Amino acid sequence: MNIFFISLGCDKNLVDSENMLGILHDNGYTITDYENDADIIIINTCCFIHDAKEESIETILEMAKHKETGRLKALIVTGCLAERYKDEILNEIPEVDALLGTSAISEIISVIEKVLNGNKYTCFTDINNQPVLKSKRILSTGSYYSYLKIAEGCDKHCTYCIIPKVRGNFRSRPMEELVEEAAYLAENGVKELILVAQETTLYGRDLYGRKALPGLLDKLCEIPGIEWIRILYCYPEEITDELIDTISRQPKICKYLDMPIQHCSDRILKLMGRKTSKKDIVNIVKKLRDKIPGIALRTTLITGFPTETDEEHEELLRFIEEERFERLGVFTYSKEEGTPASKLKPQVTAKVKRQRQKELMKLQQTIAFDISASQVGRILDVIIEGRIAGKDNVYVGRTYMDGPKVDGYIFMESDSELMSGDIIKVKVTGANYYDLIGEIVEGSARE
Ligand code: F3S
């Protein structure tokens, strides 16, 4: 029986998708790349912001059309949108046969069986459960990098965020389980491990009574085959000296940190329910740069949060100009029902939000240009992603400063064949806004 699987949303959701793919594979289902060949379509959805909800709903409607052709027997919706809008989906999209909640992914086979027996079915368990997964993940990222989800859920309750309501409380996965999974990934060719969770810096506090990310990192660094470890989603207030020391001491850990700050105005940060002030953010940025020379800091901002004034937006622009984050993403605020921020007044209009986002991204473009230009002449390790389509000897890769999908790339020519996941030395010879151009250092690529 053929299954066409669509994974939407974030990398944490992608890990769930890969776990479900593993279960499906172990139970004899075939994964097809063609929706027209599918007997069953599974869509793992997202509901974080308006655009993500829209994408999820449009995808469900698009896939529902295959019911008319007669081949598609079951349309199953899983993930965050299913968890948040169970009733609405079942009532308004009759083509959907089953819904599966975020903590019930291990039940995918029984859901399929029930649906194939002609029943509509929903499967939701307590969102604070940790599903027991016996099958190995099937990687969808290519074999050379992979996300490792170290915890689920979130206790921070930022006032704009719906995630605790669909993913539950923060709960870490046991360290032995993570080390075992990472070793399995390494045996299967993974060189770059990317640690994700709603919040990675709190790892271990629920299980071990202390923040245990440094200890976990030390153990992961011992795994043969893992060459790079990248850490995403660090809350600024949870970054400890011990973590900074571990990142700076361990050569396998990329000198890169994703640390969402969302804003810099103390009034807005407070309204957002964030636990940091502008001063705290300035201090941690300085500390990270002092203790880990060359570190690439990535952050994200929310612009147009309710009540944000022109002056506060200007303050944010000045802050970004001063702090000069190497990598930056800007989201417009999305009003999510059920969150405290949705009740704040006045809300900022869509036009103003977009304008503010544009101004922030334009400013970041000039910063990124300078940062990229300053890399020219450096010799950097580069992980190869692949060959550029249609150009036989042009390859694309990433430096330690760039995470997959969200950051920039480096392009280089090579007459000898490079494989995805090769790590080679490249001298940076040119720069674009977000991307670099380089030349392979002789002798560093396979002959
Ligand atoms: Fe991720 Fe979207 Fe759910 S961002 S945790 S898939 S709401």
Side-chain angles (χ1 to χ4, degrees):
M1 187 143 304
N2 290 339
I3 297 194
F4 182 66
F5 199 111
I6 301 176
S7 189
L8 302 172
C10 64
D11 35 42
K12 282 88 67 183
N13 214 35
L14 183 68
V15 172
D16 289 352
S17 296
E18 293 177 347
N19 275 315
M20 283 190 271
L21 286 171
I23 300 172
L24 294 166
H25 174 264
D26 285 0
N27 282 275
Y29 291 94
T30 307
I31 309 301
T32 172
D33 289 336
Y34 305 101
E35 57 201 67
N36 289 326
D37 290 346
D39 302 294
I40 300 164
I41 294 181
I42 302 173
I43 309 167
N44 196 18
T45 56
C46 173
C47 67
F48 185 44
I49 52 176
H50 175 265
D51 290 354
K53 282 188 278 189
E54 209 166 75
E55 185 189 22
S56 292
I57 293 164
E58 274 167 14
T59 307
I60 298 169
L61 294 174
E62 189 62 36
M63 292 303 120
K65 290 184 192 152
H66 291 280
K67 280 272 176 98
E68 288 159 24
T69 67
R71 164 114 203 191
L72 183 62
K73 297 181 187 66
L75 181 60
I76 299 173
V77 178
T78 66
C80 297
L81 190 89
E83 187 73 54
R84 187 173 173 192
Y85 295 109
K86 322 173 171 62
D87 298 338
E88 290 85 343
I89 298 173
L90 277 186
N91 293 338
E92 287 166 34
I93 315 181
E95 292 89 344
V96 172
D97 298 292
L99 296 175
L100 188 63
T102 52
S103 53
I105 58 172
S106 52
E107 299 304 313
I108 185 71
I109 299 300
S110 63
V111 169
I112 290 176
E113 284 165 359
K114 292 207 169 65
V115 169
L116 292 180
N117 282 335
N119 304 313
K120 287 241 173 200
Y121 191 63
T122 60
C123 182
F124 292 91
T125 53
D126 180 346
I127 53 170
N128 294 309
N129 277 352
Q130 194 76 280
V132 179
L133 300 163
K134 299 205 179 93
S135 297
K136 300 285 188 211
R137 283 162 63 186
I138 291 190
L139 295 187
S140 59
T141 48
S143 60
Y144 59 97
Y145 79 87
S146 172
Y147 298 99
L148 184 69
K149 182 153 65 163
I150 63 172
E152 183 57 272
C154 186
D155 291 340
K156 292 281 185 183
H157 296 280
C158 300
T159 59
Y160 50 82
C161 186
I162 197 69
I163 286 179
K165 291 207 170 140
V166 292
R167 291 273 167 182
N169 297 334
F170 185 81
R171 49 221 194 265
S172 307
R173 292 178 58 207
M175 208 178 280
E176 319 77 70
E177 196 179 299
L178 291 170
V179 172
E180 195 183 308
E181 183 172 339
Y184 165 79
L185 293 169
E187 278 159 25
N188 284 277
V190 168
K191 302 252 183 82
E192 181 180 3
L193 207 55
I194 303 169
L195 270 48
V196 295
Q198 301 306 332
E199 144 67 311
T200 49
T201 21
L202 266 186
Y203 173 76
R205 206 173 65 177
D206 52 322
L207 276 187
Y208 308 115
R210 66 189 156 82
K211 293 186 200 169
L213 182 58
L216 173 64
L217 285 164
D218 281 336
K219 285 203 160 61
L220 295 175
C221 285
E222 285 169 16
I223 298 174
I226 297 295
E227 306 282 348
W228 284 13
I229 297 175
R230 195 180 288 281
I231 314 164
L232 303 188
Y233 313 119
C234 298
Y235 277 51
E237 70 274 21
E238 306 293 356
I239 297 173
T240 59
D241 288 351
E242 191 189 3
L243 177 61
I244 295 175
D245 172 63
T246 307
I247 297 170
S248 100
R249 157 172 71 74
Q250 285 285 11
K252 287 187 177 181
I253 303 179
C254 293
K255 309 311 174 217
Y256 169 105
L257 211 60
D258 170 66
M259 182 184 71
I261 61 166
Q262 313 306 10
H263 212 284
C264 75
S265 146
D266 285 340
R267 190 187 74 85
I268 296 286
L269 286 168
K270 199 156 175 234
L271 277 180
M272 286 177 162
R274 304 286 295 178
K275 312 290 185 295
T276 40
S277 65
K278 184 179 192 175
K279 198 164 155 227
D280 296 334
I281 299 170
V282 169
N283 288 343
I284 191 69
V285 167
K286 182 168 180 332
K287 193 189 249 188
L288 285 163
R289 289 197 168 133
D290 286 349
K291 304 256 172 167
I292 312 174
I295 190 169
L297 293 177
R298 174 177 179 80
T299 198
T300 46
L301 303 174
I302 296 175
T303 185
F305 188 78
T307 79
E308 184 194 53
T309 62
D310 285 343
E311 290 71 32
E312 284 159 340
H313 171 60
E314 291 295 328
E315 184 184 349
L316 186 55
L317 283 165
R318 280 197 306 279
F319 181 83
I320 293 305
E321 196 157 17
E322 281 159 17
E323 295 303 318
R324 301 177 73 78
F325 289 92
E326 280 74 13
R327 306 289 181 253
L328 179 88
V330 183
F331 295 94
T332 53
Y333 167 75
S334 176
K335 184 179 174 185
E336 296 303 319
E337 69 260 34
T339 60
S342 67
K343 299 191 188 85
L344 292 172
K345 289 196 176 101
Q347 295 274 323
V348 177
T349 65
K351 191 170 163 214
V352 170
K353 283 193 264 193
R354 272 199 306 275
Q355 180 58 29
R356 288 178 182 172
Q357 181 188 39
K358 223 160 114 187
E359 287 172 20
L360 283 159
M361 285 318 294
K362 201 165 158 215
L363 169 61
Q364 182 62 20
Q365 207 176 37
T366 62
I367 295 169
F369 184 82
D370 290 349
I371 290 170
S372 291
S374 72
Q375 303 303 310
V376 174
R378 282 185 84 185
I379 293 176
L380 298 170
D381 284 341
V382 166
I383 190 161
I384 297 298
E385 291 236 322
R387 205 194 298 256
I388 298 290
K391 300 208 169 163
D392 273 359
N393 64 342
V394 182
Y395 288 83
V396 60
R398 288 181 288 104
T399 71
Y400 76 92
M401 302 176 82
D402 297 295
K405 311 272 186 227
V406 287
D407 297 323
Y409 294 99
I410 181 163
F411 298 90
M412 72 231 86
E413 290 187 355
S414 171
D415 291 329
S416 54
E417 171 123 14
L418 301 175
M419 306 299 285
S420 301
D422 281 354
I423 296 177
I424 57 171
K425 293 215 177 293
V426 177
K427 182 171 185 184
V428 182
T429 54
N432 198 330
Y433 284 99
Y434 296 103
D435 299 326
L436 301 172
I437 297 160
E439 274 171 12
I440 297 175
V441 174
E442 216 169 303
S444 82
R446 63 175 84 202
E447 295 301 321

